[in-house]
Amino acid sequence: ELYTVLPGGEKEFVNLQGFAARGFEGFCLVGVSDLDICEFIDNYALSKKGVKAMSLKRSTITDAGLEVMLEQMQGVVRLELSGCNDFTEAGLWSSLSARITSLSVSDCINGHSTHTLRLLSCWEITNHGVVNVVHSLPNLTALSLSGCSKVTDDGVELVAENLRKLRSLDLSCVRITDTGLSYLSTMSSLRSLYLR
């Protein structure tokens, strides 16, 4: 519970000094709104630089709230959004910065309208990450995995089987072989293929 109800019926944000004294670097907030996020930032002394990981679940955060949160909380490098259906991909992409090293978005219904995803030189993305992409973003028409050196032929097979609307694909990856390219023959919508 983020608020304490005072005798007069007004709500007061809880005291987070105990958390600050212990130096908590990660938080999971459930069922919060944009206003709650702002209150958290204002009331947790370490929020601006000291919080490294932020997880929001079943929350009503909007594009504006997401942008404010990531702009204010400069220390966040790991972000998880689960069951948050009020932000769109426009808000997510406009607010993300290069400092984010881990991003997890799941069960957020507005992601299904995303059409373009470019993962450039993301060296730690594996075929497991490709599984998440193809199941979370089924309407992709453009995908770049350029420089994703851990993606293999199995990842290409996942793309070919699941992203039937894909028109542009960049597979400039070192572990793709003839076998991986053969999977692309079933992709009737594909118009542009980039290899290097």
Side-chain angles (χ1 to χ4, degrees), residues 37-181:
I37 295 293
C38 291
E39 289 281 354
F40 174 80
I41 293 169
D42 289 344
N43 286 282
Y44 187 62
L46 301 176
S47 66
K48 305 263 192 217
K49 299 278 187 193
V51 174
K52 307 290 185 217
M54 198 67 182
S55 175
L56 302 179
K57 298 189 177 182
R58 299 187 307 278
S59 296
T60 58
I61 190 166
T62 66
D63 290 346
L66 195 56
E67 192 170 351
V68 167
M69 182 182 81
L70 291 173
E71 185 179 285
Q72 293 289 315
M73 300 177 76
Q74 291 289 312
V76 172
V77 295
R78 294 183 304 280
L79 177 63
E80 178 187 11
L81 302 166
S82 178
C84 302
N85 296 322
D86 291 352
F87 75 90
T88 68
E89 71 274 6
L92 180 63
W93 302 136
S94 69
S95 58
L96 286 180
S97 70
R99 75 174 187 274
I100 302 292
T101 59
S102 173
L103 172 65
S104 175
V105 180
S106 61
D107 197 25
C108 298
I109 60 173
N110 288 326
H112 285 279
S113 61
T114 300
H115 294 290
T116 302
L117 179 63
R118 291 183 181 91
L119 301 171
L120 307 176
S121 298
C122 297
W123 302 318
E124 297 303 317
I125 298 275
T126 65
N127 292 333
H128 183 70
V130 175
V131 169
N132 292 334
V133 166
V134 300
H135 292 304
S136 301
L137 303 170
N139 294 316
L140 283 180
T141 58
L143 174 64
S144 175
L145 297 171
S146 177
C148 297
S149 56
K150 291 188 177 178
V151 174
T152 68
D153 293 339
D154 292 338
V156 178
E157 183 178 18
L158 288 163
V159 168
E161 288 177 351
N162 294 284
L163 298 179
R164 307 308 298 172
K165 298 177 183 178
L166 208 60
R167 295 177 58 81
S168 175
L169 178 61
D170 188 339
L171 289 176
S172 301
C173 309
V174 294
R175 295 191 185 198
I176 307 296
T177 69
D178 293 346
T179 303
L181 294 182

